Amino acid sequence: MSGLSAPKGTFDVLPPESARFLAVRDTLTAPLRRAGYGYVETPVFEETAVFSRGVGESTDVVTKEMYTFADRGGRSLTLRPELTAGLMRAFIEHRLHTGPLPVKLWTVGSAFRYERPQAGRYRHFTQVDMEALGVDDPALDAEVVALGVQGFRDLGLTDFELLLTSLGDATCRPQYRELLVAYLEKLDLDEETRRRAEINPLRVLDDKRPEVQAQLGDAPLMVDHLSDSTRAHYDAVRQHLTDLGVAWTEAPRLVRGLDYYTKTTFEFVHNGLGAQSAIGGGGRYDGLSAALGGPDVSGIGYAVGVDRTLLAVAAEGLDVAASPGVQAFVVPLGTEAKRLAVRLVGQLREAGVAADTVYGDRGLKGAMKAADRSGATHAVVVGDRDLADGVGQLKDLRTGDQRAVPVGDLFEALRTAVGN
C-alpha cells in the first residue's frame, strides 16, 4: 500500500512500547523535580542565530546538521538541534537572572539534526534537559552530575559510566590553545580539518578518524594546563562527587560536540551500545549567556537522550514498562448493561481508578479478550439477566475467581479489589 510515511530518520512511538518510553522519560525527570527544578516549555524552532551563536560556528551541528528555513516573513528559523540554547534565550528574554539564583530549570522534548540515520542515532530524538543558571559553585556542578546519575540508577541501569574532565576557562584556555595550535600545525591534516582547527582546535581532539587519532598520541591536554583557580574548582567538584557516592572515569580527551563548554565537562556512556555509546552529557558553559546577548552569568546543565537511554535499558534486559494502563474493566452484555458500564467506568475514573470498557458490539468472548489485553486485574461482567437479578459478576482476571455483587456495591467492590 503506497501512502504517507514518517520522514527518513524519524520514528513514531506507539503503544504498547510507548509505555516504556514514558517510564524512561518520567524516571529521568523525577530526580529533577525532587531537587526543586522548575519545568519550562520553549518553541521547537528559534531564530537561527540562537544556535549559530550559542552552539558554535565550528561545530558539525551548526555547519552540517541544522534544519534551517526561511519563514513567510523571510526570517531565518531553525528547528532546535539541542535544547540548552533555546532555554538560555528564554532565561535572558524573561530576565530570570534578576530573581533569586541559581535559576533551576528542566524541560523535555524533541530535537532535530540532519545526519545519517543509524542504530541509536536519528534525525529526530527526544531529550531531557536541565540547567542550573547564575551561580558558579563546584557543589552545584556536583549536584547536576549526581542528578543525572540518579536517573540512570532509578531505572536500574548498572553498565553505564560517567566520564569527567575540565575544559578550563578564559584564564587558561588561551595559553593552552596556543600550545595545541602549534602542535596541530605539525600534523598531516586535510584542509577541512585545518579550517575547523582555526575556529576551535579542541574539536580536532574529538576527531574519530583513525588517521587523525594516530597523530594525537602526545597532544597537549587541557587538564594538564589548568590555572590555579580552575584546578581548585575541578578538585572541589570531584570531592563533592566523592561525598555523594558518585564514581567517575577521568577523560582528559573528552570534547563535547558543542562549543559553549568551560570547566566541568562530562558524558554518560553505556557499554552495551557499541559505537553510539553516549546516552547523555553536559557541563559548565560560563560564556553562553553573554554569547547570546545576555548578562555574563554562569551556568551548568546536561541533556540525556530518552531514545538512547531506552536502548541502554533494553541492552541490560530491564523491565521498566509503566504500570498497566487499566486496573478495572467492565464487560456489558446488552443495552441496559451498556448504560451501567459507561456510568460505572466514569465513576471509577473520577475516583482515580484506571478503568475501561468495550465499545462496539462484541460478544462475551471478544469482550473478555479485550479485558485481558487491557492489563486489568479485575473485571465486572454484567448481562441483562444479571441486571434483572440486581447483581454483576466481579471476576479476578489473574485467578479466574468470580462472585456476584449487588449493582449498588459494584463501584466500591471494584475500587477495593484493585487496591485503590
Side-chain angles (χ1 to χ4, degrees), residues 2 72 143 148 221 235 250 365 389 411:
S2 64
R72 294 185 179 189
E143 171 182 287
L221 300 171
D235 287 344
E250 291 288 340
K365 191 174 173 187
D389 295 336
F411 167 68

Side-chain angles (χ1 to χ4, degrees), residues 1 53 69 72 74 90 94 117 150 183 206-207 216 219 233 237 251 296 300 347 366 378 393 396:
M1 167 182 141
R53 279 158 55 186
F69 58 96
R72 294 185 179 189
H94 300 285
Q150 191 62 53
Y183 178 87
D206 195 38
D207 198 309
L216 295 172
H233 186 280
V237 171
D296 189 9
I300 181 167
Q347 287 176 313
H378 290 79
Q393 304 297 326
D396 187 324

Side-chain angles (χ1 to χ4, degrees), residues 23-167:
V24 168
R25 188 192 71 183
D26 293 347
T27 304
L28 290 174
T29 59
L32 307 178
R33 297 194 294 272
R34 291 197 299 266
Y37 285 67
Y39 182 69
V40 174
E41 279 273 338
T42 61
V44 173
F45 58 87
E46 299 267 3
E47 286 185 46
T48 300
V50 168
F51 304 115
S52 57
R53 279 158 55 186
V55 174
E57 298 284 3
S58 77
T59 63
D60 282 351
V61 171
V62 168
T63 57
K64 299 176 182 174
E65 296 173 5
M66 294 204 313
Y67 281 93
T68 298
F69 58 96
D71 74 357
R72 294 185 179 189
R75 291 169 287 263
S76 179
L77 300 174
T78 295
L79 294 180
R80 61 187 181 198
E82 54 93 57
L83 277 61
T84 296
L87 219 138
M88 184 60 92
R89 188 269 312 147
F91 169 82
I92 296 165
E93 181 177 341
H94 300 285
R95 299 183 54 76
L96 300 186
H97 58 278
T98 61
L101 300 176
V103 175
K104 295 180 170 186
L105 307 171
W106 73 274
T107 189
V108 59
S110 295
F112 308 87
R113 295 186 191 177
Y114 189 88
E115 51 190 344
R116 189 165 63 83
Q118 52 191 289
R121 178 164 285 199
Y122 306 98
R123 292 177 176 174
H124 144 230
F125 49 95
T126 304
Q127 287 188 336
V128 170
D129 187 278
M130 65 88 83
E131 319 292 342
L133 307 171
V135 173
D136 182 0
D137 182 339
L140 190 58
D141 295 32
E143 171 182 287
V144 166
V145 173
L147 287 171
V149 169
Q150 191 62 53
F152 296 133
R153 283 180 180 167
D154 289 350
L155 283 167
L157 290 172
T158 55
D159 201 15
F160 69 94
E161 194 176 1
L162 165 63
L163 307 180
L164 187 71
T165 193
S166 174
L167 288 180

Side-chain angles (χ1 to χ4, degrees), residues 200-223:
N200 183 357
L202 273 172
R203 308 275 320 130
V204 182
L205 295 180
D206 195 38
D207 198 309
K208 299 291 188 283
R209 291 172 296 176
E211 64 271 24
V212 177
Q213 279 300 320
Q215 302 180 64
L216 295 172
D218 53 355
L221 300 171
M222 182 72 246
V223 78

